[in-house]
């Protein structure tokens, strides 16, 4: 990019470029570059910096744009004005363009655009009117673009076709690179990530695996965020954005995960009264219902640790019973220690001396004890069994039937043809519900499945201490640290190995019962 230092000549300008959508085949950036340089050269100025806002809509207020906004807010240092290739590159909203122009003018700076002779002079009525008319033309063009987009979105929705961006977990398939979307399919990478997160959350019975801890885990593992994944998918560089717990929860509980065509975060209803499905679901209705329930706000009296230390949240003081925290001393290794007394907790007023131990030492003691105690046991993976899913399907059809009845009561379907269609669809939904009610229902629940690997092997293969802490939590491990001089400095407790073995036997019996139930269901279906 062609830039020079600010020298106070009175014509040190910031070049302004903007595109709503930028691709490898777009030549507008180079075209805008040449026009800005020509406009700057015509007034005898020079460019000191560029405010390039790519992938930014013209409807965005210039004051809030990522690159131009800081210059307008005087956050980027001295400059004498801005130069754009056209008025619509400043903005497509007339009010925003005029507000920006007057802000620049009243600050004593220059506003320059290609095709206009010299700087804009808002004290000249003719110049002021011309700027107003050009900004009005840009706004009219924006409104026309918005109307075309709305009409196309409505057409696609009525035709059961996807529009706008793909949902995370899915990808658009085009028969030719620049053609229309032919169909939607599961993204082989993103779908596995979401399914893994869902399984981990549903399998957790300790309250320590939440959307917040999962977002933190994905960030630690370097998994591309949904925005960056989409950028890479379409050949753009990732921006390094992070996973967000709120967005992750929305992906898990949204009905879009069932493969439905969505509008305003609700499924689009087809001509048959049911939601329009455009892709294979990530999971079934029963699993989504379980995710909605599992991720709902709830207070259990404890919080899920998001730190990466092995004993975060499971190590406690042997004097006052409070949780141990990290203590860092200059020139020494970090330590686990009790800080309750210094934090002013009344029940810890007599916690003296407060126990502490270096992180490597306490981690090693707990690790050696845990592997000796449980290392040879088999790993049991918890899986969510959605059951037959008949109850969830009944609830879905009943919701469609209720919605249909509400539309009828609101005055729709009053013509003879609509009335006949309404009666046919309502009868069909009722018949389908009655048929589903006759089928044997197996309720959803958790099951334990052996994976043929020992606890020690899983511990060794874990990517970090946060993952190993999850293993400790599954065994209900609790570490109590006592001060120096105590008969036993470190006290460790965990799930009784015999209890663990009983759980394994129960899991095997549960798996066998499920297999028999499935055989009975198949036999019933054949009859």
């Amino acid at each position: 990019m062609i830039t020079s230092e600010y020298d106070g000549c009175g014509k040190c300008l910031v070049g302004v470029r903007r595109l709503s959508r930028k691709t490898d085949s777009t030549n507008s950036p180079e075209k805008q570059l040449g026009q800005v340089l020509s406009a700057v050269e015509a007034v005898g100025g020079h460019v000191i910096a560029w405010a390039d806002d790519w992938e930014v809509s013209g409807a965005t207020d210039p004051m809030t744009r990522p690159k131009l906004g800081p210059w307008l807010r005087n956050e980027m240092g001295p400059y004498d004005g801005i130069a754009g290739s056209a008025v619509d590159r400043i903005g497509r909203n007339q009010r925003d363009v005029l507000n920006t122009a007057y802000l620049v003018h009243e600050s004593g700076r220059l506003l320059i655009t290609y095709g206009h002779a010299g700087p804009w002079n808002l004290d000249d009525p003719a110049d002021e009117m011309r700027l107003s008319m050009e900004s009005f033309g840009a706004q009219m063009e924006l409104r026309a673009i918005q109307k075309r987009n709305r009409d196309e979105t409505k057409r696609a929705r009525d035709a059961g076709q996807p529009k706008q961006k793909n949902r995370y977990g899915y990808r658009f398939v085009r028969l030719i690179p620049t053609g229309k979307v032919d169909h939607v399919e599961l993204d082989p990478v993103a779908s596995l990530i979401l399914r893994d997160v869902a399984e981990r959350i549903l399998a957790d019975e300790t309250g320590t695996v939440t959307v917040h801890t999962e977002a933190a885990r994905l960030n630690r593992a370097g998994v591309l965020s949904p925005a960056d994944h989409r950028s890479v998918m379409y050949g753009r560089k990732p921006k390094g954005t992070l996973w967000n717990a709120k967005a992750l929860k929305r992906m898990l509980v949204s009905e879009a995960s069932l493969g439905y065509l969505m509008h305003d975060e609700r499924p689009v209803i087809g001509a048959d009264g049911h939601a329009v499905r455009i892709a294979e679901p990530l999971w079934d209705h029963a699993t989504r219902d379980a995710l909605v329930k599992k991720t709902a706000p709830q207070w259990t009296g404890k919080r899920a640790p998001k730190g990466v230390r092995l004993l975060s949240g499971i190590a406690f003081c042997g004097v006052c019973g409070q949780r141990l925290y990290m203590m860092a001393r200059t020139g020494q290794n970090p330590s686990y220690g009790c800080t309750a007394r210094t934090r002013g907790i009344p029940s810890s007023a007599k916690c003296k001396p407060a126990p502490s131990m270096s992180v490597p030492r306490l981690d090693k003691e707990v690790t050696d004890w845990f592997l000796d105690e449980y290392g040879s046991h088999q790993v049991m993976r918890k899986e969510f069994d959605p059951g037959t899913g008949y109850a969830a399907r009944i609830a879905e059809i009943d919701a469609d039937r209720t919605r249909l009845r509400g539309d009828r009561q609101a005055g729709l379907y009053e013509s003879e043809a609509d009335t006949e269609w309404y009666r046919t669809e309502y009868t069909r939904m009722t018949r389908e519900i009655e048929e589903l009610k006759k089928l044997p229902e197996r309720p959803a629940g958790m099951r334990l499945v052996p994976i043929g690997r020992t606890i020690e092997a899983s511990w060794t293969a874990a990517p970090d201490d946060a993952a190993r802490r999850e293993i400790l939590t599954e065994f209900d491990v609790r570490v109590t640290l006592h001060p120096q001089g105590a008969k036993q400095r470190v006290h460790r407790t965990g799930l009784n190995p015999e209890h663990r073995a009983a759980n394994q036997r129960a899991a095997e019996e549960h798996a066998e019962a499920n297999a028999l139930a499935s055989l009975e269901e198949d036999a019933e279906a054949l009859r």
Side-chain angles (χ1 to χ4, degrees):
M1 298 298 294
I2 304 172
T3 60
S4 55
E5 297 292 333
Y6 176 83
D7 58 13
C9 67
K11 295 183 180 179
C12 301
L13 305 173
V14 175
V16 176
R17 300 190 298 172
R18 181 194 61 77
L19 271 181
S20 298
R21 184 172 298 174
K22 182 176 181 292
T23 64
D24 291 339
S25 61
T26 303
N27 60 10
S28 186
E30 290 74 21
K31 180 180 178 181
Q32 291 184 45
L33 173 65
Q35 291 173 338
V36 170
L37 292 177
S38 295
V40 172
E41 183 180 359
V43 298
H46 60 106
V47 177
I48 62 170
W50 291 90
D52 293 337
D53 286 307
W54 308 132
E55 304 288 334
V56 176
S57 169
T60 305
D61 186 348
M63 292 290 292
T64 63
R65 277 163 45 177
K67 300 298 184 180
L68 178 58
W71 286 101
L72 297 177
R73 298 193 300 267
N74 295 318
E75 298 173 359
M76 300 296 289
Y79 70 105
D80 298 323
I82 61 176
S85 61
V87 171
D88 63 5
R89 297 304 96 186
I90 305 299
R92 287 190 180 272
N93 184 292
Q94 185 181 31
R95 182 184 63 182
D96 292 341
V97 171
L98 293 178
N99 285 342
T100 302
Y102 276 105
L103 174 70
V104 172
H105 177 69
E106 291 170 358
S107 64
R109 295 188 172 102
L110 305 176
L111 174 63
I112 297 170
T113 60
Y114 178 77
H116 181 270
W120 288 91
N121 181 11
L122 298 186
D123 293 329
D124 180 1
D127 238 16
E128 181 188 37
M129 182 58 67
R130 179 180 172 182
L131 179 63
S132 179
M133 292 300 293
E134 289 196 19
S135 61
F136 179 69
Q139 178 166 308
M140 290 294 291
E141 186 178 359
L142 172 65
R143 296 295 180 260
I145 293 172
Q146 291 173 335
K147 184 179 185 304
R148 287 198 300 269
N149 287 338
R150 287 195 301 270
D151 291 345
E152 173 58 20
T153 298
K154 184 178 184 304
R155 183 208 63 78
R157 187 165 65 244
D158 293 341
Q161 298 173 351
K163 188 70 168 63
Q164 308 301 337
K165 296 179 180 179
N166 59 296
R167 298 270 177 166
Y168 186 75
Y170 294 91
R171 66 180 181 183
F172 292 158
V173 178
R174 294 177 170 86
L175 299 182
I176 56 176
T178 58
K180 290 186 177 181
V181 176
D182 181 70
H183 63 276
V184 184
E185 66 180 15
L186 291 174
D187 186 302
V189 175
S191 61
L192 290 179
I193 292 171
L194 278 184
R195 283 171 170 170
D196 179 57
V197 170
E199 289 176 1
R200 287 171 54 81
I201 290 177
L202 290 175
D204 174 61
E205 297 178 355
T206 64
T208 60
V209 180
T210 66
V211 289
H212 295 276
T213 60
E214 283 300 283
R217 180 182 67 85
L218 293 172
N219 287 329
R220 288 196 308 270
V223 177
L224 291 175
S225 68
D228 281 353
H229 179 76
R230 181 178 291 110
S231 295
V232 172
M233 185 187 303
Y234 288 102
R236 298 190 296 268
K237 292 183 178 180
K239 297 180 180 179
T241 57
L242 298 177
W243 282 86
N244 175 273
K246 185 176 180 180
L248 179 58
K249 177 182 175 180
R250 188 165 58 246
M251 296 174 205
L252 294 174
V253 304
S254 172
E255 290 181 279
S257 64
L258 301 177
Y260 291 150
L261 177 66
M262 303 293 289
H263 176 67
D264 287 341
E265 294 303 318
R266 297 184 63 184
V268 174
I269 305 303
D272 59 354
H274 291 310
V276 177
R277 175 165 280 146
I278 58 174
E280 178 186 347
L282 282 165
W283 40 71
D284 56 21
H285 287 273
T287 303
R288 176 185 172 268
D289 292 341
L291 285 169
V292 171
K293 183 177 180 181
K294 199 67 181 290
T295 59
Q298 51 189 329
W299 175 244
T300 61
K302 60 181 181 180
R303 64 181 183 181
K306 289 185 285 185
V308 297
R309 297 295 183 183
L310 180 65
L311 304 181
S312 295
I314 61 175
F316 299 86
C317 175
V319 179
C320 65
Q322 293 292 324
R323 181 183 298 174
L324 299 184
Y325 287 86
M326 294 301 303
M327 300 171 58
R329 295 185 177 91
T330 304
Q332 297 182 8
N333 288 328
S335 302
Y336 295 109
C338 180
T339 61
R341 179 174 58 85
T342 58
R343 286 186 286 121
I345 297 179
S347 60
S348 303
K350 297 182 179 180
C351 184
K352 191 174 182 181
S356 67
M357 182 178 288
S358 69
V359 170
R361 180 181 171 188
L362 187 54
D363 284 354
K364 185 177 185 307
E365 287 202 20
V366 173
T367 298
D368 292 344
W369 165 81
F370 179 76
L371 294 181
D372 287 343
E373 193 79 8
Y374 302 100
S376 60
H377 288 257
Q378 290 294 312
V379 175
M380 303 293 290
R381 184 179 70 244
K382 295 178 182 177
E383 291 184 349
F384 177 75
D385 178 10
T388 56
Y390 297 145
R393 178 60 180 163
I394 290 172
E396 180 189 10
I397 299 174
D398 189 54
D400 291 341
R401 188 174 62 171
T402 301
R403 181 171 48 249
L404 198 64
R405 186 166 55 242
D407 292 343
R408 169 77 170 183
Q409 294 171 349
L412 301 180
Y413 316 121
E414 291 186 345
S415 69
E416 184 176 345
D418 287 343
T419 299
E420 181 61 28
W421 176 87
Y422 167 80
R423 289 173 177 170
T424 301
E425 289 302 319
Y426 194 90
T427 302
R428 182 184 60 78
M429 292 180 185
T430 302
R431 188 185 308 113
E432 189 174 353
I433 290 175
E434 294 301 322
E435 291 174 355
L436 287 171
K437 286 183 177 179
K438 296 176 183 179
L439 298 175
E441 174 74 12
R442 188 178 80 253
M446 300 304 301
R447 63 179 181 180
L448 294 175
V449 179
I451 63 174
R453 188 170 62 187
T454 64
I455 298 296
E456 185 172 3
S458 295
W459 184 275
T460 304
D464 53 30
D465 280 343
R468 297 184 183 95
R469 185 181 62 231
E470 292 181 7
I471 300 176
L472 295 178
T473 304
E474 290 180 3
F475 283 83
D476 198 21
V477 171
R478 179 186 175 100
V479 178
T480 304
L481 181 64
H482 296 273
Q484 289 186 358
K487 185 176 181 180
Q488 183 180 10
R489 283 214 67 195
V490 182
H491 182 67
R492 300 137 308 196
T493 60
L495 191 66
N496 190 303
E498 295 180 359
H499 187 194
R500 177 75 177 181
N503 284 345
Q504 292 183 2
R505 289 193 297 272
E508 294 169 357
E509 293 172 359
H510 179 69
E512 183 178 354
N514 283 341
L516 292 174
S518 298
L519 290 175
E520 292 175 358
E521 290 170 11
D522 294 340
E524 181 67 25
L526 291 174
R527 287 196 292 270

